Amino acid sequence: MIEIKNLTKTFDNFTAVDNLNLTIETGEFFGLLGPNGAGKTTTIGMLSTLLLPSCGEILIDGEPLTRNRQDIKRKVSVITQEYSMRQDMDMDEIMEYQGRLYFLPVKQIRSRTRELLDFAGLTDHRRKTVRKLSGGMKRKLMVCRALLTEPEILLLDEPTAGMDALSRRQMWNLLRQLNEQGLTILLTTHYIEEAQSLCRRVALMNNGKLENADTPAALINALGPYAVDEMHPDGIQSHYFHQRTEAISYLSALEGQSTLRDTTLEDVFVEYAGKRLS
């Protein structure tokens, strides 16, 4: 379990994360959803101990997460937005280098590497250097590298950024399988479909603050699952309804151009944060 209590991070006079309180259950697939600059990456930075909180604390299974608690840090692996791998190394070399950093026995590194590359569908490409891999393959390799030490928690910061649609779907399937095996996953994203497809619960984050947290379905139902978009010369005004009959009745009374559609998670975010994610 991850417990985040009053977590705050300031840089000079700027507050990147503002009094964040959140609990993520063991085995949960949890999403932090918000636009660029919302504070998602800074939160991941503190959860990975790359950044120190200005105040507040993080508990992993009831124990405080600090830089000098190697036993707690070993439970957590992080995958950053950037491709942080040597371009001239092949997959086996990347994995062995990572294993040696954690003082793993060579036999264990090689056995685990074979297992992970096969799981990710990368075995046929293991002799390619990083510079020759597609973006999707690089992301998958970063997942394999992060799993080498058998962590209990995986932190993913915008893991599908820049991927094409097929590679993104392949990554989603990989992450689902990992979560089904019991891995706790915390994902940051600004892709609505990604959050709705993968996450059991999501937290809406904006300007460093947590706006709301619940299942995607619960957040949508609380707002109203049916939306009517009313077209105006200066933009679109959306209205939300809990009953489809109410939405249709409202739509029928409008004289201008309008449409009926299902409410999305982005609608929920707009209502809380006043801005779109795209």
Side-chain angles (χ1 to χ4, degrees):
M1 177 187 290
I2 305 172
E3 297 173 87
I4 300 173
K5 299 183 177 181
N6 305 315
L7 194 66
T8 300
K9 181 62 178 179
T10 59
F11 299 95
D12 298 324
N13 296 322
F14 173 67
T15 301
V17 175
D18 190 356
N19 197 38
L20 186 64
N21 288 277
L22 187 63
T23 298
I24 300 170
E25 300 293 338
T26 299
E28 188 170 16
F29 203 135
F30 194 93
L32 277 180
L33 178 65
N36 294 330
K40 306 186 303 296
T41 296
T42 302
T43 300
I44 290 290
M46 289 186 282
L47 285 164
S48 64
T49 73
L50 293 174
L51 295 174
L52 295 177
S54 301
C55 64
E57 63 177 345
I58 300 167
L59 303 178
I60 305 292
D61 296 331
E63 296 289 331
L65 175 65
T66 61
R67 283 182 174 173
N68 61 357
R69 286 294 304 269
Q70 295 298 325
D71 57 329
I72 304 299
K73 288 173 63 178
R74 282 291 291 266
K75 294 184 177 184
V76 182
S77 259
V78 61
I79 300 175
T80 61
Q81 293 182 36
E82 297 79 19
Y83 295 122
S84 54
M85 298 181 291
R86 283 268 304 266
Q87 296 294 304
D88 58 340
M89 285 184 172
D90 65 26
M91 293 187 183
D92 284 343
E93 291 169 335
I94 290 289
M95 297 292 281
E96 184 159 342
Y97 182 73
Q98 180 76 358
R100 289 179 180 275
L101 289 176
Y102 284 85
F103 303 102
L104 299 179
V106 173
K107 187 176 181 179
Q108 180 182 341
I109 294 171
R110 292 176 180 173
S111 173
R112 183 77 173 141
T113 294
R114 286 193 298 271
E115 177 186 332
L116 289 168
L117 294 183
D118 183 60
F119 173 71
L122 294 175
T123 300
D124 291 343
H125 307 278
R126 64 190 305 165
R127 296 303 180 189
K128 292 181 180 178
T129 59
V130 171
R131 66 166 54 92
K132 294 181 180 178
L133 299 177
S134 68
M137 288 180 186
K138 289 178 183 177
R139 291 289 184 192
K140 287 182 181 180
L141 179 57
M142 289 174 70
V143 171
C144 292
R145 184 180 64 175
L147 295 174
L148 185 64
T149 57
E150 301 185 72
E152 298 175 19
I153 298 168
L154 185 62
L155 308 176
L156 296 148
D157 191 17
E158 303 280 1
T160 61
M163 278 189 178
D164 60 60
L166 177 59
S167 297
R168 184 175 295 132
R169 296 281 178 175
Q170 291 173 342
M171 178 62 78
W172 291 0
N173 289 335
L174 180 63
L175 296 178
R176 283 194 193 97
Q177 291 179 63
L178 292 171
N179 181 242
E180 288 168 0
Q181 293 174 7
L183 185 66
T184 303
I185 299 178
L186 173 59
L187 164 81
T188 77
T189 184
H190 62 270
Y191 292 123
I192 298 296
E193 186 184 5
E194 187 160 86
Q196 285 192 244
S197 175
L198 294 174
C199 301
R200 187 181 309 168
R201 286 192 302 147
V202 297
L204 307 179
M205 197 169 185
N206 189 45
N207 295 327
K209 295 183 178 181
L210 195 68
E211 302 290 346
N212 206 345
D214 210 327
T215 65
L219 291 170
I220 289 170
N221 286 332
L223 180 60
Y226 305 102
V228 173
D229 289 336
E230 188 175 357
M231 312 303 176
H232 297 281
D234 56 347
I236 301 173
Q237 184 177 4
S238 299
H239 308 271
Y240 303 100
F241 302 88
H242 288 88
Q243 300 295 328
R244 184 178 178 84
T245 53
E246 294 176 347
I248 292 174
S249 177
Y250 183 85
L251 181 67
S252 300
L254 295 176
E255 295 182 356
Q257 185 180 1
S258 55
T259 58
L260 172 64
R261 60 176 176 81
D262 292 332
T263 301
T264 69
L265 198 56
E266 184 165 27
D267 294 316
V268 177
F269 189 86
V270 170
E271 290 299 303
Y272 280 105
K275 69 168 86 170
R276 305 204 74 81
L277 293 174
S278 55

mmCIF file of all heavy atoms in Angstrom, residues 246-275:
data_model
loop_
_atom_site.group_PDB
_atom_site.id
_atom_site.type_symbol
_atom_site.label_atom_id
_atom_site.label_comp_id
_atom_site.label_asym_id
_atom_site.label_seq_id
_atom_site.Cartn_x
_atom_site.Cartn_y
_atom_site.Cartn_z
ATOM 1 N N GLU A 246 -34.073 12.735 -19.981
ATOM 2 C CA GLU A 246 -33.899 14.154 -19.645
ATOM 3 C C GLU A 246 -33.035 14.843 -20.692
ATOM 4 O O GLU A 246 -33.316 15.967 -21.109
ATOM 5 C CB GLU A 246 -33.261 14.303 -18.261
ATOM 6 C CG GLU A 246 -34.116 13.813 -17.105
ATOM 7 C CD GLU A 246 -33.371 13.900 -15.776
ATOM 8 O OE1 GLU A 246 -32.125 14.102 -15.811
ATOM 9 O OE2 GLU A 246 -34.015 13.770 -14.727
ATOM 10 N N ALA A 247 -31.960 14.159 -21.108
ATOM 11 C CA ALA A 247 -31.056 14.731 -22.109
ATOM 12 C C ALA A 247 -31.773 14.929 -23.439
ATOM 13 O O ALA A 247 -31.631 15.973 -24.095
ATOM 14 C CB ALA A 247 -29.837 13.834 -22.278
ATOM 15 N N ILE A 248 -32.569 13.928 -23.835
ATOM 16 C CA ILE A 248 -33.290 14.023 -25.101
ATOM 17 C C ILE A 248 -34.331 15.135 -25.044
ATOM 18 O O ILE A 248 -34.515 15.898 -26.006
ATOM 19 C CB ILE A 248 -33.954 12.668 -25.438
ATOM 20 C CG1 ILE A 248 -32.869 11.629 -25.743
ATOM 21 C CG2 ILE A 248 -34.909 12.811 -26.616
ATOM 22 C CD1 ILE A 248 -33.395 10.230 -25.935
ATOM 23 N N SER A 249 -35.023 15.247 -23.908
ATOM 24 C CA SER A 249 -36.025 16.305 -23.743
ATOM 25 C C SER A 249 -35.374 17.681 -23.847
ATOM 26 O O SER A 249 -35.909 18.583 -24.515
ATOM 27 C CB SER A 249 -36.720 16.151 -22.394
ATOM 28 O OG SER A 249 -37.638 17.204 -22.172
ATOM 29 N N TYR A 250 -34.204 17.842 -23.211
ATOM 30 C CA TYR A 250 -33.490 19.123 -23.260
ATOM 31 C C TYR A 250 -33.036 19.418 -24.690
ATOM 32 O O TYR A 250 -33.176 20.540 -25.191
ATOM 33 C CB TYR A 250 -32.299 19.098 -22.318
ATOM 34 C CG TYR A 250 -31.543 20.397 -22.245
ATOM 35 C CD1 TYR A 250 -31.947 21.414 -21.379
ATOM 36 C CD2 TYR A 250 -30.431 20.627 -23.055
ATOM 37 C CE1 TYR A 250 -31.261 22.622 -21.322
ATOM 38 C CE2 TYR A 250 -29.741 21.829 -23.007
ATOM 39 C CZ TYR A 250 -30.165 22.820 -22.134
ATOM 40 O OH TYR A 250 -29.485 24.022 -22.082
ATOM 41 N N LEU A 251 -32.512 18.390 -25.355
ATOM 42 C CA LEU A 251 -32.029 18.537 -26.723
ATOM 43 C C LEU A 251 -33.165 18.952 -27.664
ATOM 44 O O LEU A 251 -32.984 19.811 -28.542
ATOM 45 C CB LEU A 251 -31.413 17.217 -27.190
ATOM 46 C CG LEU A 251 -30.827 17.164 -28.602
ATOM 47 C CD1 LEU A 251 -29.593 18.052 -28.707
ATOM 48 C CD2 LEU A 251 -30.472 15.727 -28.974
ATOM 49 N N SER A 252 -34.338 18.364 -27.469
ATOM 50 C CA SER A 252 -35.482 18.653 -28.342
ATOM 51 C C SER A 252 -35.951 20.095 -28.228
ATOM 52 O O SER A 252 -36.507 20.652 -29.186
ATOM 53 C CB SER A 252 -36.644 17.707 -28.003
ATOM 54 O OG SER A 252 -36.260 16.356 -28.190
ATOM 55 N N ALA A 253 -35.723 20.702 -27.075
ATOM 56 C CA ALA A 253 -36.177 22.069 -26.846
ATOM 57 C C ALA A 253 -35.217 23.113 -27.395
ATOM 58 O O ALA A 253 -35.548 24.309 -27.453
ATOM 59 C CB ALA A 253 -36.391 22.303 -25.348
ATOM 60 N N LEU A 254 -34.024 22.677 -27.795
ATOM 61 C CA LEU A 254 -33.031 23.625 -28.308
ATOM 62 C C LEU A 254 -33.320 23.955 -29.769
ATOM 63 O O LEU A 254 -33.712 23.083 -30.550
ATOM 64 C CB LEU A 254 -31.617 23.027 -28.176
ATOM 65 C CG LEU A 254 -31.117 22.777 -26.749
ATOM 66 C CD1 LEU A 254 -29.755 22.097 -26.795
ATOM 67 C CD2 LEU A 254 -31.037 24.071 -25.950
ATOM 68 N N GLU A 255 -33.072 25.189 -30.130
ATOM 69 C CA GLU A 255 -33.331 25.627 -31.504
ATOM 70 C C GLU A 255 -32.071 25.587 -32.366
ATOM 71 O O GLU A 255 -32.150 25.385 -33.572
ATOM 72 C CB GLU A 255 -33.923 27.037 -31.499
ATOM 73 C CG GLU A 255 -35.290 27.119 -30.845
ATOM 74 C CD GLU A 255 -35.874 28.511 -30.886
ATOM 75 O OE1 GLU A 255 -35.165 29.432 -31.365
ATOM 76 O OE2 GLU A 255 -37.016 28.691 -30.436
ATOM 77 N N GLY A 256 -30.937 25.804 -31.753
ATOM 78 C CA GLY A 256 -29.689 25.821 -32.528
ATOM 79 C C GLY A 256 -29.117 24.428 -32.698
ATOM 80 O O GLY A 256 -29.716 23.419 -32.318
ATOM 81 N N GLN A 257 -27.922 24.372 -33.273
ATOM 82 C CA GLN A 257 -27.241 23.098 -33.495
ATOM 83 C C GLN A 257 -26.776 22.513 -32.170
ATOM 84 O O GLN A 257 -26.179 23.210 -31.346
ATOM 85 C CB GLN A 257 -26.050 23.290 -34.430
ATOM 86 C CG GLN A 257 -25.361 21.984 -34.813
ATOM 87 C CD GLN A 257 -24.175 22.218 -35.740
ATOM 88 O OE1 GLN A 257 -23.866 23.352 -36.084
ATOM 89 N NE2 GLN A 257 -23.523 21.141 -36.129
ATOM 90 N N SER A 258 -27.032 21.236 -31.966
ATOM 91 C CA SER A 258 -26.636 20.583 -30.720
ATOM 92 C C SER A 258 -26.528 19.084 -30.948
ATOM 93 O O SER A 258 -27.064 18.544 -31.922
ATOM 94 C CB SER A 258 -27.648 20.878 -29.615
ATOM 95 O OG SER A 258 -28.949 20.505 -30.012
ATOM 96 N N THR A 259 -25.837 18.388 -30.054
ATOM 97 C CA THR A 259 -25.640 16.938 -30.183
ATOM 98 C C THR A 259 -25.758 16.266 -28.821
ATOM 99 O O THR A 259 -25.470 16.875 -27.779
ATOM 100 C CB THR A 259 -24.255 16.603 -30.770
ATOM 101 O OG1 THR A 259 -23.237 17.174 -29.940
ATOM 102 C CG2 THR A 259 -24.111 17.127 -32.184
ATOM 103 N N LEU A 260 -26.143 15.004 -28.847
ATOM 104 C CA LEU A 260 -26.212 14.165 -27.646
ATOM 105 C C LEU A 260 -25.088 13.137 -27.718
ATOM 106 O O LEU A 260 -24.868 12.508 -28.762
ATOM 107 C CB LEU A 260 -27.572 13.462 -27.577
ATOM 108 C CG LEU A 260 -27.749 12.402 -26.486
ATOM 109 C CD1 LEU A 260 -27.663 13.029 -25.104
ATOM 110 C CD2 LEU A 260 -29.073 11.664 -26.666
ATOM 111 N N ARG A 261 -24.380 12.964 -26.629
ATOM 112 C CA ARG A 261 -23.261 12.007 -26.597
ATOM 113 C C ARG A 261 -23.080 11.483 -25.178
ATOM 114 O O ARG A 261 -23.715 11.964 -24.225
ATOM 115 C CB ARG A 261 -21.962 12.689 -27.062
ATOM 116 C CG ARG A 261 -21.557 13.866 -26.205
ATOM 117 C CD ARG A 261 -20.231 14.472 -26.620
ATOM 118 N NE ARG A 261 -19.898 15.665 -25.842
ATOM 119 C CZ ARG A 261 -19.360 15.646 -24.617
ATOM 120 N NH1 ARG A 261 -19.080 14.493 -24.025
ATOM 121 N NH2 ARG A 261 -19.102 16.774 -23.988
ATOM 122 N N ASP A 262 -22.200 10.502 -25.035
ATOM 123 C CA ASP A 262 -21.846 9.991 -23.704
ATOM 124 C C ASP A 262 -20.838 10.931 -23.045
ATOM 125 O O ASP A 262 -19.927 11.448 -23.701
ATOM 126 C CB ASP A 262 -21.228 8.599 -23.807
ATOM 127 C CG ASP A 262 -22.227 7.551 -24.270
ATOM 128 O OD1 ASP A 262 -23.433 7.740 -24.010
ATOM 129 O OD2 ASP A 262 -21.801 6.559 -24.890
ATOM 130 N N THR A 263 -20.977 11.121 -21.761
ATOM 131 C CA THR A 263 -20.017 11.913 -20.999
ATOM 132 C C THR A 263 -18.691 11.159 -20.906
ATOM 133 O O THR A 263 -18.663 9.930 -20.785
ATOM 134 C CB THR A 263 -20.555 12.178 -19.586
ATOM 135 O OG1 THR A 263 -21.803 12.865 -19.691
ATOM 136 C CG2 THR A 263 -19.595 13.032 -18.772
ATOM 137 N N THR A 264 -17.592 11.885 -20.980
ATOM 138 C CA THR A 264 -16.264 11.286 -20.892
ATOM 139 C C THR A 264 -15.550 11.745 -19.620
ATOM 140 O O THR A 264 -15.975 12.675 -18.935
ATOM 141 C CB THR A 264 -15.396 11.683 -22.093
ATOM 142 O OG1 THR A 264 -15.092 13.090 -22.007
ATOM 143 C CG2 THR A 264 -16.104 11.384 -23.408
ATOM 144 N N LEU A 265 -14.434 11.093 -19.347
ATOM 145 C CA LEU A 265 -13.624 11.471 -18.199
ATOM 146 C C LEU A 265 -13.056 12.877 -18.380
ATOM 147 O O LEU A 265 -12.850 13.604 -17.405
ATOM 148 C CB LEU A 265 -12.501 10.450 -18.010
ATOM 149 C CG LEU A 265 -11.800 10.406 -16.656
ATOM 150 C CD1 LEU A 265 -12.782 10.199 -15.524
ATOM 151 C CD2 LEU A 265 -10.751 9.293 -16.659
ATOM 152 N N GLU A 266 -12.821 13.266 -19.632
ATOM 153 C CA GLU A 266 -12.329 14.615 -19.880
ATOM 154 C C GLU A 266 -13.381 15.659 -19.495
ATOM 155 O O GLU A 266 -13.046 16.725 -18.983
ATOM 156 C CB GLU A 266 -11.913 14.808 -21.330
ATOM 157 C CG GLU A 266 -11.309 16.188 -21.581
ATOM 158 C CD GLU A 266 -10.565 16.285 -22.896
ATOM 159 O OE1 GLU A 266 -10.902 15.532 -23.826
ATOM 160 O OE2 GLU A 266 -9.651 17.119 -22.983
ATOM 161 N N ASP A 267 -14.656 15.364 -19.724
ATOM 162 C CA ASP A 267 -15.721 16.263 -19.274
ATOM 163 C C ASP A 267 -15.651 16.481 -17.769
ATOM 164 O O ASP A 267 -15.818 17.603 -17.278
ATOM 165 C CB ASP A 267 -17.098 15.690 -19.636
ATOM 166 C CG ASP A 267 -17.344 15.633 -21.130
ATOM 167 O OD1 ASP A 267 -17.023 16.626 -21.812
ATOM 168 O OD2 ASP A 267 -17.848 14.607 -21.608
ATOM 169 N N VAL A 268 -15.411 15.399 -17.044
ATOM 170 C CA VAL A 268 -15.303 15.493 -15.591
ATOM 171 C C VAL A 268 -14.149 16.415 -15.214
ATOM 172 O O VAL A 268 -14.271 17.287 -14.354
ATOM 173 C CB VAL A 268 -15.093 14.096 -14.961
ATOM 174 C CG1 VAL A 268 -14.915 14.211 -13.452
ATOM 175 C CG2 VAL A 268 -16.259 13.177 -15.287
ATOM 176 N N PHE A 269 -13.020 16.224 -15.906
ATOM 177 C CA PHE A 269 -11.853 17.049 -15.599
ATOM 178 C C PHE A 269 -12.120 18.519 -15.888
ATOM 179 O O PHE A 269 -11.745 19.399 -15.106
ATOM 180 C CB PHE A 269 -10.638 16.569 -16.396
ATOM 181 C CG PHE A 269 -9.366 17.235 -15.973
ATOM 182 C CD1 PHE A 269 -8.633 16.729 -14.917
ATOM 183 C CD2 PHE A 269 -8.919 18.390 -16.592
ATOM 184 C CE1 PHE A 269 -7.469 17.362 -14.500
ATOM 185 C CE2 PHE A 269 -7.767 19.023 -16.184
ATOM 186 C CZ PHE A 269 -7.042 18.503 -15.122
ATOM 187 N N VAL A 270 -12.784 18.792 -17.002
ATOM 188 C CA VAL A 270 -13.094 20.176 -17.360
ATOM 189 C C VAL A 270 -13.972 20.823 -16.288
ATOM 190 O O VAL A 270 -13.782 21.990 -15.923
ATOM 191 C CB VAL A 270 -13.784 20.243 -18.737
ATOM 192 C CG1 VAL A 270 -14.326 21.642 -19.006
ATOM 193 C CG2 VAL A 270 -12.815 19.848 -19.836
ATOM 194 N N GLU A 271 -14.926 20.069 -15.773
ATOM 195 C CA GLU A 271 -15.811 20.610 -14.748
ATOM 196 C C GLU A 271 -15.055 20.956 -13.472
ATOM 197 O O GLU A 271 -15.348 21.943 -12.799
ATOM 198 C CB GLU A 271 -16.936 19.619 -14.431
ATOM 199 C CG GLU A 271 -17.952 19.471 -15.538
ATOM 200 C CD GLU A 271 -18.657 20.789 -15.831
ATOM 201 O OE1 GLU A 271 -19.254 21.361 -14.904
ATOM 202 O OE2 GLU A 271 -18.602 21.233 -16.989
ATOM 203 N N TYR A 272 -14.063 20.121 -13.126
ATOM 204 C CA TYR A 272 -13.285 20.374 -11.910
ATOM 205 C C TYR A 272 -12.169 21.414 -12.128
ATOM 206 O O TYR A 272 -11.951 22.275 -11.280
ATOM 207 C CB TYR A 272 -12.638 19.077 -11.401
ATOM 208 C CG TYR A 272 -13.578 18.191 -10.633
ATOM 209 C CD1 TYR A 272 -14.093 17.035 -11.202
ATOM 210 C CD2 TYR A 272 -13.972 18.519 -9.339
ATOM 211 C CE1 TYR A 272 -14.968 16.217 -10.497
ATOM 212 C CE2 TYR A 272 -14.840 17.707 -8.629
ATOM 213 C CZ TYR A 272 -15.334 16.562 -9.211
ATOM 214 O OH TYR A 272 -16.201 15.750 -8.510
ATOM 215 N N ALA A 273 -11.504 21.313 -13.262
ATOM 216 C CA ALA A 273 -10.301 22.121 -13.462
ATOM 217 C C ALA A 273 -10.502 23.295 -14.406
ATOM 218 O O ALA A 273 -9.661 24.188 -14.472
ATOM 219 C CB ALA A 273 -9.163 21.242 -13.987
ATOM 220 N N GLY A 274 -11.596 23.283 -15.179
ATOM 221 C CA GLY A 274 -11.859 24.396 -16.076
ATOM 222 C C GLY A 274 -11.002 24.423 -17.318
ATOM 223 O O GLY A 274 -10.895 25.446 -17.977
ATOM 224 N N LYS A 275 -10.376 23.288 -17.672
ATOM 225 C CA LYS A 275 -9.559 23.254 -18.904
ATOM 226 C C LYS A 275 -9.576 21.851 -19.481
ATOM 227 O O LYS A 275 -9.790 20.872 -18.776
ATOM 228 C CB LYS A 275 -8.123 23.692 -18.634
ATOM 229 C CG LYS A 275 -7.315 22.713 -17.779
ATOM 230 C CD LYS A 275 -5.849 23.060 -17.792
ATOM 231 C CE LYS A 275 -5.516 24.092 -16.737
ATOM 232 N NZ LYS A 275 -4.060 24.257 -16.585
#
